Amino acid sequence: MNFSALHQQVKQQTDASLLTLIDELPDYAPRLKDAMRHALLAGGKRMRPLLVQVVGNTLDVPKKDQMAISMAIECVHAYSLVHDDLPAMDDDDLRRGMPTCHIAFDEATAILAGDALQALAFTVLADAPLSTYAESKRGQLLSILAKSAGYAGMCGGQAIDLASTGKTISLEELKQLHRLKTGALLKACVEMVAIVSEGLLPQTKIDLMAYAADIGLAFQVQDDILDVEGSSEKLGKPAGSDEALGKNTFPAKLGITGAKQELEMLHDNALQALARLPYNTDSLIAFSELLVKRDH
Amino acid sequence: MNFSALHQQVKQQTDASLLTLIDELPDYAPRLKDAMRHALLAGGKRMRPLLVQVVGNTLDVPKKDQMAISMAIECVHAYSLVHDDLPAMDDDDLRRGMPTCHIAFDEATAILAGDALQALAFTVLADAPLSTYAESKRGQLLSILAKSAGYAGMCGGQAIDLASTGKTISLEELKQLHRLKTGALLKACVEMVAIVSEGLLPQTKIDLMAYAADIGLAFQVQDDILDVEGSSEKLGKPAGSDEALGKNTFPAKLGITGAKQELEMLHDNALQALARLPYNTDSLIAFSELLVKRDH
């Protein structure tokens, strides 16, 4: 299967599994359930499940372990987007061309939907059937997910983002912000798959984590570049919103040429980390190219 | 130790442990860290840790297991209060006589602090040192916590509350709302302690869960009665706010006398469940009396 077909398959599987997850919830709070469904299913690119599957296939991790990790990560990712879009945060009306959760529903329901999706992430990971080996690592999986979602990860990064909006921060501070805000969850995808891979060499885990860190940051640099150069139509949201919001970005810091050089450097580092791995890394290479060459 | 002294001790231990938990977080997002500390430490009554300790002592559950459960539950409880108080939700400026999180900080920080506290709850429960027996139940503990916090528990109850505000609902619907909104987390306290109690008889767990369900609902009935009859000074927030908000309450449904009868009935049921237990239940009786006789 070529990489693009694999991505399509992951999208379809993820969408179907997330839909089932929501449909299985009891019906007593229908508006909340609809808002959670809206948040989970509004056309995500499913980059994180794709990463989980690519790493998981490379390391020969059973499909059901991959699926549990993917579902949990997507719940966290979806909740974070709902809360980031709120009026008190980035105040976005559109996401992937669709009304954001608080626009499609209301602010209170969006706050609650985010909260319930975070809890659902942990329910999924605590309850999902796992292989025997992964079962012995369930506590660790939950620990990695919680840490990457919380203060020491995504929430901390978002707080630094809020605190630094409209202020000048150094390049190193900007990188630290995104290592936490976007990078932590991408690294968690790779780390969770790595720890359920029986007999994995410690050095392989280190190299995979380095790859994840580099592509995580590259992902954000490309996001910033697209906000300057991309089309609102393809992005499904207004381009140029970073500058309007006074956000610190890589193009603002380095110029658009400098940002592209940074992206290239991060991409090269990621490929170097892959070159150290004792596996066929074609799909991992393809994944990193998808991230840095995407137009939305 | 008498019950009041035990409660004081639990308060002090809980406050100290939560303070340590926050202080140990890295410093890169100081405003978020301060907001999390504010939310966790603003004078809570620590009823849930007290319940954990009372049940835990009755069932001879090791202190470190009790502590892990208590910390996690308090993080969830604190996050829920921060989000409930937001302008889009109940729009409360005061809680326990202190400015609420979004007043003391700002709305974005309060949303993030709640999010990070929910993640912290799972970090605590995933990482805390546990006894050997409890360690074998860690996945189940995390599952119970996640379920009680999410759609099938607290978030679901809050959504029903939002949906029914300003509308007439039946007494059964009102009870269902509170079984989820307040009751689920209180039941989770008891269930988590019960599953780490080695060799516990299934019937004992059933009786303890019945006790938890009854006192959970009684807790809410008394809350509603206090909102009608209590003093704003003792409550640390304006009395009468339920009526102003068009909330469905037990006094609105049953009259104040009917609400008090309901409270008495729930209390009696709780005591009957205790009478079936093969333990000295003095402290469990004292706990239920504390709930139904409190004036704030």
Side-chain angles (χ1 to χ4, degrees):
Chain A
M1 194 186 306
N2 71 30
F3 193 73
S4 164
L6 176 71
H7 190 182
Q8 273 312 111
Q9 192 192 66
V10 168
K11 262 194 203 172
Q12 283 162 11
Q13 283 173 348
T14 307
D15 288 356
S17 302
L18 290 172
L19 190 59
T20 304
L21 190 63
I22 295 297
D23 285 345
E24 283 173 349
L25 295 175
D27 277 323
Y28 43 60
R31 190 172 172 83
L32 176 58
K33 193 167 158 172
D34 287 347
M36 291 166 75
R37 188 188 291 108
H38 176 91
L40 273 178
L41 292 172
K45 293 189 292 283
R46 309 300 180 205
M47 300 306 274
R48 290 157 193 80
L50 180 61
L51 178 59
V52 167
Q53 184 146 339
V54 165
V55 179
N57 290 349
T58 303
L59 302 184
D60 218 7
V61 164
K63 277 276 182 282
K64 61 180 169 184
D65 301 339
Q66 295 183 22
M67 189 49 87
I69 294 167
S70 285
M71 295 292 100
I73 284 277
E74 281 302 276
C75 288
V76 170
H77 177 55
Y79 116 68
S80 77
L81 299 182
V82 171
H83 281 190
D84 281 6
D85 287 337
L86 285 168
M89 307 280 258
D90 287 353
D91 196 14
D92 279 320
D93 291 357
L94 281 176
R95 155 105 36 205
R96 303 166 188 148
M98 307 269 287
T100 49
C101 194
H102 65 278
I103 298 291
F105 296 86
D106 57 82
E107 220 179 306
T109 302
I111 294 167
L112 264 180
D115 291 344
L117 283 170
Q118 179 167 198
L120 186 60
F122 291 99
T123 295
V124 167
L125 199 56
D127 291 354
L130 296 177
S131 69
T132 309
Y133 186 72
E135 181 62 54
S136 73
K137 304 284 180 186
R138 199 188 285 273
Q140 256 181 279
L141 290 174
L142 286 152
S143 170
I144 293 167
L145 182 69
K147 200 171 172 192
S148 72
Y151 181 92
M154 197 179 68
C155 287
Q158 175 71 359
I160 298 175
D161 197 5
L162 285 174
S164 61
T165 296
K167 289 184 196 154
T168 303
I169 59 173
S170 70
L171 180 61
E172 193 37 56
E173 286 169 324
L174 182 62
K175 287 185 177 178
Q176 165 71 352
L177 187 174
H178 290 300
R179 271 187 211 114
L180 295 169
K181 188 178 166 180
T182 331
L185 211 56
L186 284 162
K187 274 180 76 176
C189 292
V190 174
E191 190 176 7
M192 289 198 280
V193 174
I195 68 156
V196 299
S197 167
E198 200 168 353
L200 190 74
L201 297 173
Q203 186 58 45
T204 300
K205 186 178 168 192
I206 291 169
D207 291 332
L208 277 169
M209 297 292 286
Y211 165 79
D214 287 329
I215 60 169
L217 205 49
F219 182 85
Q220 187 59 47
V221 176
Q222 176 65 355
D223 226 49
D224 288 355
I225 291 170
L226 285 172
D227 192 72
V228 176
E229 294 195 332
S231 87
S232 301
E233 196 190 337
K234 280 195 177 157
L235 293 173
K237 63 180 182 181
S241 58
D242 288 340
E243 195 179 348
L245 286 165
K247 293 264 181 193
N248 283 282
T249 66
F250 289 93
K253 201 85 225 160
L254 302 169
I256 194 78
T257 309
K260 287 177 179 177
Q261 284 167 349
E262 181 72 27
L263 179 66
E264 208 45 56
M265 197 192 68
L266 289 164
H267 189 196
D268 283 348
N269 287 350
L271 296 178
Q272 281 169 32
L274 291 184
R276 296 192 291 270
L277 291 175
Y279 298 99
N280 177 335
T281 57
D282 288 353
S283 60
L284 287 160
I285 292 170
F287 182 82
S288 66
E289 279 177 357
L290 179 66
L291 282 197
V292 303
K293 293 183 180 159
R294 70 201 162 93
D295 61 1
H296 66 286
Chain B
M1 194 186 304
N2 71 31
F3 193 72
S4 162
L6 176 71
H7 190 182
Q8 274 311 112
Q9 192 193 66
V10 168
K11 262 194 204 173
Q12 284 163 11
Q13 282 172 349
T14 307
D15 288 356
S17 301
L18 290 172
L19 189 60
T20 303
L21 190 62
I22 295 297
D23 285 346
E24 282 172 350
L25 296 174
D27 277 323
Y28 43 60
R31 190 173 171 84
L32 176 58
K33 193 168 161 175
D34 287 346
M36 292 167 74
R37 189 188 289 108
H38 177 91
L40 273 178
L41 293 171
K45 293 190 291 285
R46 308 302 180 204
M47 300 306 276
R48 291 157 192 79
L50 180 61
L51 177 59
V52 168
Q53 184 146 340
V54 165
V55 178
N57 290 349
T58 302
L59 302 184
D60 217 8
V61 164
K63 279 277 182 281
K64 62 180 169 185
D65 301 338
Q66 295 182 23
M67 188 52 85
I69 294 167
S70 285
M71 295 293 99
I73 285 276
E74 281 301 278
C75 289
V76 170
H77 177 56
Y79 117 68
S80 77
L81 299 182
V82 171
H83 282 190
D84 282 5
D85 288 337
L86 285 168
M89 306 280 255
D90 288 353
D91 196 14
D92 280 319
D93 292 356
L94 279 177
R95 156 104 38 204
R96 303 168 189 148
M98 307 269 288
T100 48
C101 193
H102 66 278
I103 297 291
F105 296 86
D106 57 82
E107 221 179 307
T109 303
I111 293 167
L112 265 181
D115 292 343
L117 283 170
Q118 179 166 199
L120 186 60
F122 292 99
T123 295
V124 166
L125 199 55
D127 291 353
L130 296 177
S131 68
T132 309
Y133 186 72
E135 182 61 54
S136 73
K137 303 285 180 185
R138 199 188 286 272
Q140 257 181 279
L141 289 174
L142 285 153
S143 170
I144 294 167
L145 183 69
K147 200 171 172 192
S148 72
Y151 181 92
M154 196 178 70
C155 288
Q158 176 70 0
I160 299 174
D161 196 6
L162 285 174
S164 61
T165 296
K167 290 185 196 153
T168 304
I169 58 172
S170 70
L171 180 62
E172 193 37 55
E173 287 170 323
L174 182 62
K175 286 185 179 179
Q176 166 72 350
L177 187 173
H178 291 300
R179 271 187 211 112
L180 295 169
K181 188 178 167 181
T182 331
L185 211 57
L186 284 162
K187 273 180 78 177
C189 291
V190 174
E191 191 176 7
M192 288 198 280
V193 174
I195 68 155
V196 299
S197 168
E198 200 168 351
L200 190 74
L201 296 173
Q203 185 57 45
T204 300
K205 186 179 169 191
I206 291 169
D207 291 331
L208 276 169
M209 297 293 285
Y211 164 80
D214 288 329
I215 60 169
L217 206 48
F219 182 84
Q220 186 59 47
V221 176
Q222 176 65 356
D223 227 48
D224 288 356
I225 292 171
L226 285 173
D227 193 71
V228 177
E229 294 195 332
S231 87
S232 301
E233 195 191 338
K234 278 194 179 157
L235 293 173
K237 64 179 181 182
S241 60
D242 288 340
E243 197 180 346
L245 287 166
K247 291 264 180 194
N248 283 282
T249 66
F250 289 93
K253 203 82 224 162
L254 302 169
I256 194 81
T257 310
K260 287 177 180 176
Q261 284 166 350
E262 181 72 27
L263 180 66
E264 206 47 55
M265 198 193 68
L266 289 164
H267 189 196
D268 283 349
N269 288 350
L271 296 179
Q272 281 168 32
L274 291 184
R276 297 192 289 270
L277 291 175
Y279 297 99
N280 177 335
T281 57
D282 288 353
S283 60
L284 287 160
I285 293 170
F287 183 82
S288 65
E289 279 177 357
L290 179 66
L291 282 196
V292 302
K293 293 183 181 159
R294 70 202 162 92
D295 62 1
H296 67 286

